Amino acid sequence: MPDDPALAATDARKAAFSRRSVLAGVAAVPLVAAVPVGSPTLQEAAGRAGMLFGAAMRANVIASDAALRTAVARECGVITPELELKWAWIEPQQGRFVFRDADRIAAFASTTGKTMHGHALLWHQSIPPWVAQVLADRPDWTIMRRFMAAVMPRYAATVRTWDVVNEPMEMGHRMDGLRPSPFLQAFGPDYIHRALDEARQAAPRATLFINEYGLSHDLPWQRDKRYLLLKLLEGLKRAGAPVDGVGIQAHLELVDQSSFRERVLADFLDELGNLGLQVRISELDVKEADLTATVPVRDRRVADAVGAYLDVALDNRAVGSVTCWGLTDRYSWLDEGRNVGNRGLPLDRDFVPKPVYDAIRRAFERRLVND
Ligand code: 9MR
């Protein structure tokens, strides 16, 4: 063993890591080597601050990439299925439920001692064609009830938190800011309250969230959205709807960074907390603005944006968890579009932690210090 305790610790960790890798039948990835000795993982740092850290994952990637499984097992306390609980996935034809992929994620979560976040029951972008047809032709609430009653109890052991309605707001259509989704068109604005009631019945112990994007910056449309979402939440609370929290997606875009104002986000979080709501930072990642800069410059920009964001967010006690929309740049929805090669997640494509990893960990550690 080396004399230097720091080196000894490194070696011990490397050895433990490669033992685990061998056991898991995986080639070692440089994850541990790049993490400073003695520093906690993201979930360990979150846990010490009384919080959870998690990431979105897909069943096929979990199945095919052992290095990813190792990284998730190490870094995350909670896993969000990126696709597999969405209605289009679960009930592609009426009454034919396909749980296989969600079951695979749930099994991975429970064997690695994690929970799962349920994402997302009602989302206008993930409606199977038959549902779109029913909602348009002969609105029938029983399809909503059957779907929730089929999916929520099945995962009661693993899922503690659910996104009941995803992205219910869209500016520019109505005075109340509600998105004219097929659900709204079929059932009117009350569909949100009804869906929450249904969810409470199907999963009485779960914490129920409304999840939304475009809430964090000082841009006119986001200002309107914050205001109208708060009105919606106040109304739901007043009417006794079982809404427990709000997921703030936090898909940060570096082109918007100049409109990030600490006070704006802090005030919004205060308002949510004052309504007695819990807050999840639910889909954190960073879309870069300039992929041509050097990698160190790009990584610093991403880390600075996330650091500034989480410093404000974690200052508020209502915020209980941070989930990234992916863990490694190897698998990021941002690469599905034009931003191929985007570096907006904690680990790079080879699972090496980047400055943004440290920024997230430090934000958890600062919360502890400030306690
Ligand atoms: O990251 C997800 C992408 O792979 C899917 O194609 C898409 C449609 O199911 O959903 C993406 O995830 C979205 C999430 O469910 C809701 N907020 C925005 C996310 C990114 O588009």
Side-chain angles (χ1 to χ4, degrees), residues 18 39 43 49 57 79 106 109 151 160 175 180 183 194 200 205 227 269 318 321 331 334 336:
S18 57
S39 50
Q43 177 46 39
M57 288 299 134
I79 300 171
V151 72
R160 310 251 164 88
M175 293 295 283
F183 307 114
R194 289 176 78 184
R200 180 64 94 224
R205 288 201 302 274
Y227 176 79
L269 293 169
S321 70
Y331 307 108
L334 291 165
E336 288 169 16

Side-chain angles (χ1 to χ4, degrees), residues 58 82-83 86 119-120 123 125-126 166-167 211 213 249 251 283 325 332-333 336:
R58 297 182 188 185
E82 189 173 349
L83 309 168
K86 293 170 180 171
H119 172 85
W123 186 31
Q125 278 194 37
S126 191
N166 192 36
E167 302 172 7
N211 195 47
Y213 72 93
Q249 292 188 7
H251 290 292
E283 305 186 12
W325 208 240
S332 166
W333 77 287
E336 288 169 16

Side-chain angles (χ1 to χ4, degrees), residues 172-185:
H173 303 282
R174 299 163 43 100
M175 293 295 283
D176 59 10
L178 289 183
R179 177 189 296 278
S181 69
F183 307 114
L184 182 112
Q185 271 149 359

Side-chain angles (χ1 to χ4, degrees), residues 212-287:
E212 188 55 88
Y213 72 93
L215 296 169
S216 308
H217 286 73
D218 194 18
L219 295 164
W221 67 276
Q222 298 200 10
R223 214 174 296 148
D224 292 349
K225 207 180 206 186
R226 281 189 291 275
Y227 176 79
L228 290 168
L229 178 60
L230 285 169
K231 290 277 153 233
L232 171 72
L233 292 163
E234 274 164 21
L236 287 168
K237 281 276 183 191
R238 208 176 316 115
V243 58
D244 301 310
V246 171
I248 298 182
Q249 292 188 7
H251 290 292
L252 307 182
E253 300 200 13
L254 291 186
V255 285
D256 290 340
Q257 219 25 41
S258 59
S259 63
F260 180 69
R261 312 253 177 283
E262 293 182 0
R263 199 61 264 149
V264 167
L265 180 60
D267 287 350
F268 179 57
L269 293 169
D270 280 346
E271 299 269 10
L272 294 174
N274 292 343
L275 286 173
L277 294 163
Q278 304 178 27
V279 178
R280 312 176 64 247
I281 304 302
S282 57
E283 305 186 12
L284 179 64
D285 59 12
V286 181
K287 184 174 181 179

